[in-house]
Amino acid sequence: MSWQAYVDDHLMCEIDGNRLTSAAILGQDGSVWAQSQNFPQFKQEEITGIMNDFAEPGKLAPTGLFLGGTKYMVIQGEPGAVIRGKKGPGGVCIKKTGQALVIGVYDEPMAPGQCNMIVERLGDYLIEQGL
């Protein structure tokens, strides 16, 4: 299966009539493996900040999580494994695997838990596959 198929079929899938607004699978160096058509154009320093928070959980909390120039308030995640951010009625979930970052961005009417489930389920699968 291609990386694009993982994004199209597993991240951008419909759950209870809702879907993510955008999604991507990136290498931990910020290289794009696959992304949805409208995934935000991010800056390398944003990915560096995310990776620094995985290495030192809590590092992003004071400044916020930035992705594509959008600032998200960092909310409870799983230290070293999952970072979650919230902005108004939407947010972001980032799952770290052995080699990649699985990212999902959502907005209402999707619930945060639905986004988390989609992103983390694919991330867990990739971890099981050694990726």
Side-chain angles (χ1 to χ4, degrees), residues 75-128:
I75 56 175
Q76 179 228 347
E78 296 171 32
V82 178
I83 299 171
R84 297 184 185 112
K86 186 91 172 108
K87 179 178 174 63
V92 62
C93 178
I94 305 169
K95 171 77 175 185
K96 180 179 175 264
T97 73
Q99 300 175 28
L101 298 173
V102 180
I103 304 173
V105 179
Y106 70 94
D107 211 340
E108 284 186 332
M110 179 171 263
Q114 291 173 313
C115 173
N116 298 344
M117 184 179 68
I118 291 168
V119 171
E120 293 175 38
R121 187 180 287 162
L122 179 59
D124 289 341
Y125 172 78
L126 294 177
I127 290 168
E128 288 170 14

Side-chain angles (χ1 to χ4, degrees), residues 19-41:
R19 65 180 61 223
L20 296 173
T21 54
S22 63
I25 301 173
L26 308 178
Q28 292 182 5
D29 61 357
S31 60
V32 177
W33 292 6
Q35 65 183 13
S36 64
Q37 194 170 17
N38 56 347
F39 190 75
Q41 184 65 45

Side-chain angles (χ1 to χ4, degrees), residues 6-74:
Y6 281 112
V7 170
D8 296 341
D9 300 342
H10 297 282
L11 292 176
M12 296 303 291
C13 63
E14 193 171 293
I15 301 264
D16 297 332
N18 301 319
R19 65 180 61 223
L20 296 173
T21 54
S22 63
I25 301 173
L26 308 178
Q28 292 182 5
D29 61 357
S31 60
V32 177
W33 292 6
Q35 65 183 13
S36 64
Q37 194 170 17
N38 56 347
F39 190 75
Q41 184 65 45
F42 59 87
K43 297 183 178 102
Q44 186 57 46
E45 57 263 24
E46 294 172 336
I47 302 304
T48 301
I50 290 166
M51 289 305 297
N52 289 342
D53 192 81
F54 280 123
E56 293 180 53
K59 197 157 177 83
L60 285 177
T63 60
L65 161 69
F66 286 86
L67 186 66
T70 301
K71 181 179 180 179
Y72 296 90
M73 179 178 63
V74 178

